[in-house]
Amino acid sequence: MRLCQAYLQHPGTVREMAALLLARLLTRPDMAAALADFLQWQQQALAAASGPATVFLLPGVLQTLALIFKFGRREQLLPLSPQLWQQVAGLLGDGSGSSSSSGLGSNALARKLAVKLVQRIG
């Protein structure tokens, strides 16, 4: 799991496959504790990331979360929804057009994945 988390900040297909592998692994019924660990890690990693590291890490984390909500069972993910909703809403900002303060900046892929995650949460 740590290896896949490390690959989430790499560009290209490596990041996509790491996100897919993490999503498949974390949505298994016997991996609830690992899912909680991942959610805690992603909050800490996104809070600590700054500058160029965020450009690749943010889409990797958002893609993993979107895939978790695609593959996961609703009853398992429903308790996690409010916390993730708040986090993604903070990333998307208030809609006033100042996306540089929201964390997404000009990263179109991150915005697309954030919208996809919001659709799957709601």
Side-chain angles (χ1 to χ4, degrees):
M1 193 163 118
R2 299 284 178 226
L3 183 63
C4 288
Q5 288 173 345
Y7 278 118
L8 288 180
Q9 58 189 342
H10 289 265
T13 57
V14 173
R15 178 181 60 213
E16 294 173 16
M17 289 301 111
L20 179 65
L21 181 61
L22 275 172
R24 289 286 188 183
L25 181 67
L26 295 174
T27 54
R28 290 178 35 171
D30 60 337
M31 297 295 285
L35 178 59
D37 289 343
F38 175 77
L39 293 176
Q40 184 179 18
W41 171 84
Q42 63 89 20
Q43 282 184 336
Q44 293 171 351
L46 291 179
S50 62
T54 308
V55 173
F56 296 118
L57 180 63
L58 185 60
V61 168
L62 289 173
Q63 184 172 16
T64 304
L65 291 172
L67 288 171
I68 285 172
F69 274 84
K70 179 179 181 178
F71 299 136
R73 294 187 333 253
R74 185 150 181 88
E75 60 271 3
Q76 179 188 12
L77 299 173
L78 197 57
L80 309 172
S81 297
Q83 176 187 5
L84 285 173
W85 182 271
Q86 297 256 335
Q87 184 180 359
V88 175
L91 285 173
L92 287 173
D94 58 2
S96 64
S98 61
S99 61
S100 61
S101 64
S102 70
L104 294 179
S106 61
N107 195 337
L109 177 61
R111 281 195 313 270
K112 178 187 117 174
L113 291 168
V115 169
K116 184 181 282 192
L117 179 58
V118 166
Q119 289 175 336
R120 289 182 179 166
I121 289 174

